Amino acid sequence: MGTEKTGAEITIEALTDLGVEVIFGYPGGAVLPIYDELFKQNRIRHILVRHEQAAVHAAEGYARASGKVGVVLVTSGPGATNAVTGITDALMDSIPLVVLTGQVPTHLIGTDAFQECDTVGITRHCSKHNYLVKETAKLGPVLHEAFHIARSGRPGPVVIDIPKDVQIMKARYDKPGTITHKTYKPQVKGDLASIEAAVEMLAAAERPILYTGGGIINSGPVASQLLRELAKACGAPVTSTLMGLGCFSAEHPQFLGMLGMHGSYEANMAMNRCDLMVCLGARFDDRVTGRLDAFSPESRKIHVDIDRSSFNKTVRVDLAIQGDVGSVMEDMLKVWRSRGHRPADQSAWWEQIAGWRSRNSFGFEQKGEALLPQKAIQRLYEMTKAKKPIITTEVGQHQMWAAQHFGFHEPNKWLTSGGLGTMGYGLPAAIGAQLAFPSALVIDIAGEASIQMNIQELGTAVQYRLPVKIFIINNEYMGMVRQWQELNHGSRYSESYSDSLPDFVKLAEAYGWKGIVIDSPDNLDDGIAAMLDHSGPVLVDCRVSKLANCFPMIPSGAAHTDMILSAADEVGPADDDAKALV
Amino acid sequence: MKHLPSERHTLSIIVDNEAGVLARIVGLFSARGYNIESLTVADVSADHDVSRITVVTSGPPPVIDQIMAQLERLVPVHRVIDLTEHGPHVEREMALVKVAGSGDKRVEALRLADIFRARPVDTSTTSFVFEVSGSTEKVNQFIALMREVGLVEVARTGVVAIARGPEAV
């Protein structure tokens, strides 16, 4: 311990001490000393991606599937700027990451040196925290602190910029004990008096709803278990945001499905008509609330969140409880049980919900010979659910159809870019998840446009023998863009057609993948079976009906009650205020 | 909630005195579209470890609350105090005001400065630099009067503020 080590040695030793098993990265001039240390050891596995953005998404997929911190190592300049999309994605979706970036030596900082960029300046607003380490002696403590910040509180990405001379200079490294930070102290336990008040409100509610989100996934698998117990105790219906899918079983009779813009009719109507909303680890995102002044007008609202800035940001709540959602639910259950509460009579409420459910808002009608995208995802779900797959997605219509038609029963099985909406997320995220769970079935449900944004990662999967599956819902359009152009811009499909598509099967084969085409309902099941039968990576080009739209849908600027259930619903042209919304 | 009437609030932000901390604070205000009417910063501890930033901002109460919450989320922030909400406090700023002229205007400038307890800290035969301190309104008023007697330029510090009474906030 007493001897001095180089910054690069300290980096690898600290990462080892922190339990890191996998790093996703790409070498370059400013990180060569760290790569040299990686070469000399075999405790940490380095996964060489083909583009730095993919390194970050892969680390996100690894983190989301495993609950561990994802680690990224990239070089200065373009290495760091390429990572920015992934870092921002992790910030929006609260994914714990530590991103190490190389930097030009300290004496060259500020001189516009080769491959220099202001990494801490660029990442200041897209990271939870960041550091420029100017002395080797500080490297060890900063690494340990960075992991503490990334994974505690509301998780997020932490960037550490390490100049090359700091990697080469020597200093002592001692493994620190428990990290206590002088200013950063996340509040885990909720205020007991508020929790008691929440329990009383819940026990008295006639039309309660539990509105759950990604915070429950972040809190760990125990939180999902506690949610199930809480739902059982209070008898309330449960809905989930896109990020929360899997925290409650999709097949549970109390589950109303996802809510929001493309959520179920029953979930959105129940949110609108409830008398008590209990928001558990969600943040009233605009995709969830629709028009704010019409959002759940009759309800009292309780909001449980570890991040105080989530309270009253867009929706005023009656009771805010700051704390880890798992810990708060545990305390809520204790209070509920110790007071011998039974749920109030909710029979009228459930009757109302049954009425909304009977509209079958995720239903779709098979017309003619076309293979419907919804059908393709439904069959994919039915044929794989016994294997408890991990599903990743890209961004667009296929993502929403996957959220609607693929059932999730456990946390950490659904990895999607929710907040930032990053096309190109799914394939690298699947690679990261597969590394965390080598024997799991990992499927990237993709679109033909999105998949091309990080298609180069086909090579990464082959290099590390990862049997990732890609299921492309190919409708030859950036489907969600086309859908909005149809609804808001007079069907003028400006630049949304996926022209000059590659032959995906040949592309797959060129990289050493198996390629399969599905082009009609008749070979859907065979195609899925063939995909599952192959032990290596498989890319499925599933050619679906070109003009299907994703319904139900709350048009932008509309209220939950103004949901469009199917293409047959009358939709007037959007006004300018609505058109200005995204 | 952004349609509620706007209020002026003075915030004290106690932060670690480290590289980039001011950029984090200022960047947060610009990134989220909050106003900064004035901002002052200096280290205030014996060991130079802690800085105190005073920000005068304006917005409806829910936005002020959101500003506080967002600031508290920053890792190097120790605490944020809304002095306007906290209660009685003293707010002062200082300005250096350069005035040039001769004859009656020069005499009048000196007379007005005396009324405002502004001190001349530099003088030439054709100019003065006055140091004036006090509330923002007082400084504003002094500068407005100086415009009529040959104002050349102004440098002002922005508001610093501290709560009244024996306790630290």
Side-chain angles (χ1 to χ4, degrees):
Chain A
M1 273 295 165
T3 55
E4 294 204 323
K5 298 184 169 75
T6 67
E9 286 171 324
I10 289 172
T11 303
I12 298 304
E13 193 168 330
L15 292 175
T16 307
D17 286 345
L18 284 156
V20 174
E21 291 161 1
V22 183
I23 293 181
F24 301 88
Y26 204 103
V31 278
L32 284 179
I34 297 175
Y35 271 87
D36 201 36
E37 286 310 313
L38 270 173
F39 186 82
K40 295 176 191 162
Q41 57 85 51
N42 55 14
R43 292 164 297 181
I44 296 174
R45 190 175 179 201
H46 180 272
I47 303 300
L48 177 67
V49 295
R50 298 327 188 230
H51 186 289
E52 288 91 348
Q53 183 194 349
V56 188
H57 293 322
E60 286 185 274
Y62 176 87
R64 194 64 164 173
S66 68
K68 298 175 189 166
V69 177
V71 183
V72 177
L73 175 59
V74 296
T75 193
S76 63
T81 56
N82 277 345
V84 165
T85 300
I87 296 168
T88 313
D89 192 89
L91 182 73
M92 293 288 270
D93 286 346
S94 306
I95 310 292
L97 296 185
V98 169
V99 180
L100 309 176
T101 55
Q103 182 54 279
V104 300
T106 47
H107 66 275
L108 288 181
I109 288 178
T111 65
D112 300 322
F114 178 64
Q115 292 195 330
E116 181 187 358
C117 74
D118 177 12
T119 302
V120 284
I122 291 169
T123 60
R124 193 170 286 134
H125 299 298
C126 64
S127 60
K128 182 173 175 183
H129 193 49
N130 65 11
Y131 303 88
L132 169 62
V133 183
K134 286 184 163 172
E135 295 159 50
T136 305
K138 293 204 171 138
L139 196 49
V142 163
L143 276 156
H144 283 269
E145 188 178 291
F147 272 72
H148 171 61
I149 289 171
R151 66 181 153 212
S152 62
R154 179 174 177 177
V158 178
V159 176
I160 309 176
D161 199 26
I162 313 173
K164 197 170 182 183
D165 55 332
V166 172
Q167 300 169 35
I168 288 167
M169 296 296 165
K170 289 187 170 184
R172 271 176 60 106
Y173 167 71
D174 297 300
K175 183 182 174 180
T178 320
I179 303 278
T180 53
H181 195 276
K182 58 184 166 178
T183 53
Y184 174 78
K185 293 183 179 73
Q187 188 174 331
V188 175
K189 284 289 276 183
D191 172 60
L192 191 59
S194 302
I195 288 170
E196 287 171 348
V199 167
E200 292 308 316
M201 286 161 82
L202 189 55
E206 290 171 4
R207 302 191 308 280
I209 188 166
L210 304 182
Y211 153 40
T212 66
I216 296 181
I217 312 278
N218 275 330
S219 180
V222 176
S224 290
Q225 197 48 50
L226 288 162
L227 170 66
R228 288 155 207 237
E229 288 177 39
L230 184 66
K232 192 177 176 190
C234 74
V238 179
T239 181
S240 169
T241 66
L242 181 73
M243 296 310 293
L245 293 177
C247 68
F248 199 72
S249 173
E251 280 168 8
H252 194 288
Q254 278 170 267
F255 192 59
L256 306 187
M258 180 175 77
L259 82 166
M261 185 172 273
H262 293 289
S264 77
Y265 185 66
E266 56 269 35
N268 286 322
M269 289 304 288
M271 286 287 279
N272 185 264
R273 298 288 157 78
C274 65
D275 68 349
L276 180 72
M277 179 186 298
V278 186
C279 171
L280 299 164
R283 60 182 176 91
F284 298 94
D285 177 84
D286 56 72
R287 282 291 175 279
V288 157
T289 60
R291 203 176 87 213
L292 275 173
D293 60 10
F295 176 71
S296 195
E298 296 157 20
S299 64
R300 293 211 286 165
K301 298 173 187 72
I302 300 170
H303 189 179
V304 180
D305 203 301
I306 200 157
D307 178 1
R308 171 164 111 74
S309 75
S310 289
F311 300 137
N312 303 319
K313 185 161 62 179
T314 55
V315 172
R316 296 291 290 171
V317 297
D318 300 278
L319 178 61
I321 304 174
Q322 190 180 1
D324 172 75
V325 71
S327 160
V328 172
M329 284 193 291
E330 189 180 6
D331 287 346
M332 282 175 79
L333 275 162
K334 275 185 202 155
V335 174
W336 181 280
R337 284 169 184 152
S338 72
R339 296 188 176 184
H341 279 310
R342 291 276 171 273
D345 178 17
Q346 296 170 21
S347 52
W349 180 227
W350 278 104
E351 218 166 284
Q352 229 178 336
I353 289 169
W356 295 322
R357 260 186 179 155
S358 69
R359 303 288 289 269
N360 188 24
S361 62
F362 288 163
F364 51 90
E365 204 181 333
Q366 179 70 49
K367 285 183 202 149
E369 290 299 290
L371 172 53
L372 293 179
Q374 299 93 324
K375 180 75 182 173
I377 290 172
Q378 195 180 62
R379 286 304 295 154
L380 183 66
Y381 168 54
E382 288 164 356
M383 292 178 68
T384 60
K385 69 176 169 185
K387 295 176 193 288
K388 301 185 172 179
I390 297 172
I391 301 296
T392 75
T393 73
E394 311 287 336
V395 168
Q397 283 184 325
H398 68 273
Q399 177 190 31
M400 292 298 110
W401 282 319
Q404 293 174 343
H405 299 284
F406 211 99
F408 296 94
H409 306 280
E410 293 166 37
N412 308 96
K413 299 285 192 191
W414 166 245
L415 322 178
T416 194
S417 170
L420 195 64
T422 310
M423 293 168 74
Y425 169 88
L427 173 55
I431 287 170
Q434 189 79 75
L435 276 154
F437 296 99
S439 55
L441 172 62
V442 182
I443 308 172
D444 171 25
I445 298 178
E448 86 290 336
S450 280
I451 191 65
Q452 294 184 81
M453 281 218 188
N454 269 319
I455 193 76
Q456 75 286 345
E457 299 307 316
L458 292 173
T460 309
V462 171
Q463 181 176 347
Y464 299 99
R465 295 188 164 76
L466 302 172
V468 169
K469 318 296 181 202
I470 300 175
F471 195 85
I472 301 175
I473 301 291
N474 182 353
N475 61 359
E476 295 181 25
Y477 277 100
M478 294 157 213
M480 196 59 94
V481 172
R482 199 216 58 231
Q483 179 168 344
W484 279 58
Q485 288 172 332
E486 187 180 314
L487 294 176
N488 286 349
H489 298 280
S491 296
R492 290 178 295 280
Y493 297 153
S494 180
E495 303 296 327
S496 55
Y497 181 66
S498 294
D499 210 327
S500 307
L501 282 173
D503 178 331
F504 280 112
V505 169
K506 279 189 184 161
L507 180 71
E509 287 168 358
Y511 271 102
W513 286 51
K514 182 182 172 68
I516 295 174
V517 172
I518 295 173
D519 55 8
S520 92
D522 300 334
N523 57 23
L524 175 61
D525 283 13
D526 288 349
I528 295 171
M531 175 188 90
L532 296 173
D533 279 348
H534 185 69
S535 60
V538 184
L539 183 153
V540 179
D541 179 6
C542 181
R543 297 174 190 165
V544 298
S545 151
K546 292 192 189 8
L547 297 175
N549 280 340
C550 185
F551 292 114
M553 177 180 187
I554 302 172
S556 48
H560 280 173
T561 47
D562 299 331
M563 210 164 190
I564 308 171
L565 286 181
S566 72
D569 282 10
E570 273 305 310
V571 192
D575 64 19
D576 284 352
D577 281 350
K579 273 189 193 168
L581 296 171
V582 288
Chain B
M1 60 180 73
K2 294 197 170 162
H3 304 302
L4 297 168
S6 194
E7 294 177 0
R8 178 182 182 276
H9 282 245
T10 304
L11 311 181
S12 280
I13 309 163
I14 313 297
V15 298
D16 273 341
N17 182 20
E18 63 178 33
V21 66
L22 187 60
R24 285 184 208 282
I25 305 278
V26 174
L28 188 155
F29 275 81
S30 70
R32 294 189 182 267
Y34 305 141
N35 293 318
I36 296 182
E37 286 181 15
S38 86
L39 180 144
T40 64
V41 56
D43 91 70
V44 291
S45 63
D47 53 8
H48 308 290
D49 268 1
V50 173
S51 287
R52 181 170 179 135
I53 297 173
T54 308
V55 173
V56 179
T57 185
S58 59
V63 172
I64 301 289
D65 191 52
Q66 188 57 210
I67 293 173
M68 302 272 294
Q70 292 292 351
L71 287 168
E72 282 168 2
R73 223 153 74 106
L74 299 176
V75 170
V77 169
H78 289 245
R79 57 188 191 283
V80 187
I81 306 105
D82 181 349
L83 286 169
T84 307
E85 201 66 18
H86 179 268
H89 62 281
V90 186
E91 286 187 19
R92 289 291 180 271
E93 64 174 308
M94 190 188 90
L96 296 172
V97 182
K98 185 177 284 184
V99 182
S102 58
D104 285 352
K105 284 198 170 175
R106 185 169 160 83
V107 176
E108 185 59 18
L110 204 55
R111 232 164 53 80
L112 288 167
D114 190 45
I115 294 166
F116 276 79
R117 298 182 209 285
R119 281 191 315 129
V121 290
D122 176 72
T123 182
S124 70
T125 54
T126 55
S127 69
F128 291 115
V129 174
F130 294 116
E131 174 196 311
V132 63
S133 70
S135 67
T136 300
E137 297 80 65
K138 175 183 164 182
V139 173
N140 286 346
Q141 211 179 347
F142 180 68
I143 293 167
L145 285 168
M146 287 300 109
R147 282 186 209 289
E148 292 172 31
V149 292
L151 181 76
V152 176
E153 62 175 334
V154 177
R156 56 199 287 184
T157 57
V159 169
V160 290
I162 204 159
R164 290 185 186 275
E167 273 88 37
V169 288

